[in-house]
Amino acid sequence: MNLRIDTKAEYILNKLKENGFEGFIVGGCVRDLILGKTPKDYDITTNAKPEKIIETFKDHKTILTGIEYGTVTVLINRIPFEITTYRKEQEYINNRKPKGVVFLSSIEEDLYRRDFTINSMAYNNDKKLIDLYGGVNDIQKGIIRAIGNKDKKFEEDAIRILRAYRFAGRYDWEIEEETKNAMIKNMNLLNNIAKERIIPELKEIFESGMDINKMEFITTLFPVIKDCFNTYQNNKYHMRSVGEHIYNTFNNIDNVFHLKMTMLLHDIGKVYTKTTDQNNVDHFYNHADISREKSKIILNEFKFDNNTKHKILTLIENHDKYMAPEPKYIKKMLNKIGEDLFFDLIKVRIADDSAKNQELVKNNIKIFNETLTLTKKIIKEKQPYSIKGLDISGKDLMELGYEGKEIGEKLNYLLNKIIEAPSLNKKETLKNLIAKK
């Protein structure tokens, strides 16, 4: 099999060869080339020790990325390439990090330490493809298979469990049965993984469009979801447990990380707010606020960035509040949460109600779609909905003699007026309104 390697990666392999060393492209870039895709980056492995790598590329900028693990980054035309010495890991600490590495002399030994068959292939123009574990065959069949002792692979580094789901989601492939069994058996080891390593994997899995019913890891990472499946909803709007409803809404929403996270967490407050009336009907009063409160704790634990956290919590807080195709309501919400989040909120409302009793909520979905249409019209026509849309500014008010907090109060007063009557948005009219007030 001949693969067309990037010219800069080929230059590195040739440079290693000229200096008496062996080098291969390895891992994901080989997989991508076999799939006919252009790799995002190239990882290179070699029998050269780190100090020899640095010496070989002394005419190029090198970065000691992880020299204790045998990795040196070399910049070729300002493009970074990671070059790693053949190695195997020593004993892993807490299922996530090896104590150290042992450098090896053969590519065959190096390939055995890798996670899945599809990532355990190496290639150079001399020896061509080295595929010891059937990676090409598994690519052709669409199978994710761990190499060697499956339990040991996941015990060594539990993040490999999420990596398997990531590849399955990305390519719409199946996880081989023995590998899947070992993943489920060792699922609790995910709790040993640093949260910052989990988030990038989750993002790729969620945005791949994978059915959440195939994500067996969810209740391990988010134990409250297990409680949601044990919380039944005996009322006319629901036909499922809270957990079943959440899973349906998750599959209903766009494949965008903060939207997926919103649907995953939007109803967890129901676990804590369920009451049953004298007619045996269940209620979940104030569950949106409790969902937001509990979700904030979870998002903080996972160290979500502030921007993503703000989006998720805002959507959860508003996911069951009043919504209607009314200009006044829409403009106030646009002013409150912004255009992007308001469009997201409409998506959340549609996804949420699409997982309820359709006979009772079909009019709601119609209302949400009408709200969407009217919102687009308001924005297209540049109808003012925020202070910056007023035909008068703070500077204008200062010239009229207003100062300090008074300016903000006046601007908000005028904003409420033009939301009610957009035709009033003319500087002289606004000045007269303030004078009358």
Side-chain angles (χ1 to χ4, degrees), residues 333-390:
M333 286 302 292
L334 288 172
N335 183 47
K336 180 181 178 183
I337 67 175
E339 292 179 13
D340 290 343
L341 264 184
F342 188 62
F343 282 125
D344 283 345
L345 182 59
I346 296 172
K347 292 176 183 177
V348 166
R349 297 304 304 270
I350 292 172
D352 193 11
D353 273 29
S354 294
K356 296 178 182 176
N357 184 335
Q358 292 304 288
E359 286 302 311
L360 296 180
V361 301
K362 59 185 178 183
N363 189 55
N364 288 357
I365 295 175
K366 179 174 176 287
I367 286 171
F368 301 152
N369 281 310
E370 289 173 355
T371 302
L372 175 62
T373 301
L374 183 54
T375 303
K376 289 178 179 178
K377 180 175 183 289
I378 287 170
I379 292 170
K380 183 178 180 180
E381 293 176 355
K382 296 183 179 179
Q383 296 182 30
Y385 61 80
S386 66
I387 285 174
K388 67 181 182 182
L390 290 170

Side-chain angles (χ1 to χ4, degrees), residues 53-95:
I53 297 172
I54 294 169
E55 185 181 326
T56 299
F57 294 95
K58 60 180 180 293
D59 295 332
H60 298 271
K61 183 176 180 180
T62 55
I63 304 168
L64 308 185
T65 313
I67 195 163
E68 70 273 26
Y69 293 104
T71 300
V72 176
T73 298
V74 176
L75 270 62
I76 309 295
N77 297 338
R78 290 188 273 186
I79 305 296
F81 290 83
E82 284 193 354
I83 306 176
T84 303
T85 306
Y86 301 156
R87 71 188 189 192
K88 67 176 180 179
E89 286 78 11
Q90 294 177 337
E91 180 185 354
Y92 277 75
I93 304 167
N94 296 328
N95 317 107

